Amino acid sequence: MNTIQIKNLTFKPYITKETLQTTVKTIAERINADYRDQEVLFIGMLNGAFIFAADLLKHINLTCKISFVKMASYEGTTSTGEIKEIIGLNESVKGKHVIVVEDIVDTGLTIQTMYHTLQAQQPLSLEICTLILKPEKYDNSVPLKYVGHSISNEFIVGYGLDYDGYGRNIASIYQLQE
Ligand code: 5GP
């Protein structure tokens, strides 16, 4: 794989699409085993998790529903630290097994807000599933049960992740070239 250009930035290959598919399948198998014979409500975080959530759900063999919500804290390549409100949660989570599907956890601010908002609605259980974790900045504020890849503190794009809105359609993940 070669480097790619998105707007003014160059990105180098980082996680292949084959590796991503293996990771997604492995996570799905764990979820299938952990929730066997139970119903699960998946909550996908837009925009970034749309591809991960779609691929993950294809491997889930449980009785399940998925609902997507939107919440953003990022502009460009650095976190603004500003959390916007959660939009689109019209499914009640009370008394349900809930798994939040996130693309990437960086500082943890986004997932923390999501976690506490959902927890207040008294789900039967609540877990987080993230494809990528950047442990360097993560404050461990909420437990992350399912983590696909832990990576260094580099900006990445592809497989749902964007740079300024672009690059979400790329099947593999690329890392910013310094
Ligand atoms: P946090 O609130 O954990 O700091 O940031 C989580 C959100 O920031 C993610 O949902 C994602 O939108 C964005 N983000 C964090 N790191 C990256 C990255 O390396 N690449 C991209 N494209 N987005 C990121």
Side-chain angles (χ1 to χ4, degrees), residues 73-74 102-104 106-110 134 154-156 162:
S73 67
Y74 240 69
E102 174 65 301
D103 50 355
I104 183 164
D106 185 6
T107 63
L109 271 173
T110 310
K134 290 182 178 173
E154 301 289 338
F155 187 77
I156 56 172
D162 73 308

Side-chain angles (χ1 to χ4, degrees), residues 10 114 145:
T10 305
M114 186 69 197
K145 183 153 186 187

Side-chain angles (χ1 to χ4, degrees), residues 144-159:
L144 304 175
K145 183 153 186 187
Y146 306 99
V147 176
H149 296 271
S150 286
I151 67 163
S152 58
N153 196 21
E154 301 289 338
F155 187 77
I156 56 172
V157 293
Y159 200 69

Side-chain angles (χ1 to χ4, degrees), residues 45-49 71-77 79 81 83 102-112 132 134 137-138 151-158 160-164 166 168:
M45 306 276 281
L46 293 174
N47 292 326
M71 203 163 78
S73 67
Y74 240 69
E75 273 168 25
T77 59
S79 176
I83 301 292
E102 174 65 301
D103 50 355
I104 183 164
V105 172
D106 185 6
T107 63
L109 271 173
T110 310
I111 207 67
Q112 196 186 331
I132 309 281
K134 290 182 178 173
K137 280 201 250 162
Y138 184 56
I151 67 163
S152 58
N153 196 21
E154 301 289 338
F155 187 77
I156 56 172
V157 293
L161 291 154
D162 73 308
Y163 167 50
D164 214 11
Y166 296 100
R168 295 192 195 276

Side-chain angles (χ1 to χ4, degrees), residues 17 30 50 61 138 144 149 158 163 173-174 176-177:
K17 58 181 181 205
R30 276 184 61 199
F50 79 107
N61 58 23
Y138 184 56
L144 304 175
H149 296 271
Y163 167 50
I173 289 181
Y174 284 74
L176 181 63
Q177 184 155 286

